[in-house]
Amino acid sequence: MISKIEPLLTVADLDACPDDNNRYELIEGELFVSRAPGIPHQRVLHNLQIELGLYLKGNPIGILVPGTGAVFSDHDAVIPDLVFVRNERWNEVTSGQKITGPPDIVVEIVSPGTESQRRDLLVKRQLYGKYGIREYWIVDPKNSNVLIFRLLGQTLEQIPILTSDDELSSPILPDFHLRVGTIFSL
């Protein structure tokens, strides 16, 4: 029996979705829907945004943007929790209201549920590697850890998992050092 192949959704289809407080993302033409993040997620985001913001105030090497749309193709549009783009790349990575090229760092904070975790660990990791994001941070409030993936070719390779007493740093952010536990202080 021949099964009908469903057409891939496009960014134009995504833009036509109603504003119903859900977050719609498109990865390789497949629609992913998630609800608005809960308070623990947002507190962790807030803590990380403050720490990175303080660093960038003293080291103005780039721009940090929370919750903005990133459109990489007609079939790939996501809403990362945070993106960081170095100043010298800003004009090539942004276009109007959205990110259209690969940011230097993308941060996703894992929401509760196995589907959200699978999407962040597998699906988005592949997507971000495909489009050349240099670093991908997955912040996991449930386990109080941070997974960092660095680009090697077109693959984001994991470095050791960072836990509460470990120090978060990045070659993209010279002299940035943050004790991981600080992110999870609620």
Side-chain angles (χ1 to χ4, degrees):
M1 171 183 254
I2 298 175
S3 62
K4 180 181 174 189
I5 297 175
E6 295 295 323
L8 296 176
L9 292 174
T10 66
V11 171
D13 297 327
L14 187 64
D15 287 342
C17 288
D19 185 4
D20 59 4
N21 292 324
N22 288 318
R23 293 170 58 137
Y24 292 91
E25 297 181 305
L26 199 60
I27 301 174
E28 295 187 352
E30 183 178 345
L31 183 65
F32 292 88
V33 182
S34 33
R35 295 180 181 209
I39 290 172
H41 177 283
Q42 294 302 90
R43 292 286 302 154
V44 167
L45 174 62
H46 176 75
N47 290 344
L48 187 55
Q49 190 174 350
I50 284 175
E51 294 297 331
L52 287 166
L54 288 171
Y55 165 79
L56 291 171
K57 191 170 192 166
N59 303 275
I61 62 169
I63 299 170
L64 183 68
V65 183
T68 190
V71 178
F72 300 121
S73 76
D74 284 341
H75 301 286
D76 295 303
V78 292
I79 307 170
D81 290 306
L82 284 172
V83 297
F84 170 77
V85 179
R86 290 175 305 163
N87 290 330
E88 64 269 18
R89 297 188 62 245
W90 182 256
N91 289 333
E92 75 183 65
V93 172
T94 62
S95 172
Q97 300 294 314
K98 297 180 179 165
I99 301 290
T100 56
D104 294 290
I105 299 174
V106 170
V107 179
E108 295 282 2
I109 299 167
V110 178
S111 295
T114 55
E115 179 57 31
S116 177
Q117 188 172 24
R118 186 191 76 76
R119 186 180 319 143
D120 288 344
L121 286 169
L122 299 173
V123 179
K124 286 188 176 180
R125 177 180 170 192
Q126 290 174 347
L127 177 77
Y128 294 147
K130 174 182 174 180
Y131 287 103
I133 279 74
R134 290 180 54 201
E135 278 192 7
Y136 175 36
W137 301 0
I138 299 177
V139 180
D140 184 350
K142 180 181 175 186
N143 296 308
S144 297
N145 65 34
V146 178
L147 286 75
I148 296 180
F149 299 89
R150 293 202 174 116
L151 191 63
L152 183 62
Q154 279 195 318
T155 304
L156 285 162
E157 299 290 332
Q158 184 177 338
I159 66 167
I161 296 173
L162 302 175
T163 58
S164 288
D165 290 329
D166 293 327
E167 186 175 81
L168 175 59
S169 63
S170 168
I172 297 169
L173 304 169
D175 300 319
F176 175 73
H177 303 281
L178 174 64
R179 191 179 67 79
V180 170
T182 304
I183 300 168
F184 302 107
S185 300
L186 301 177

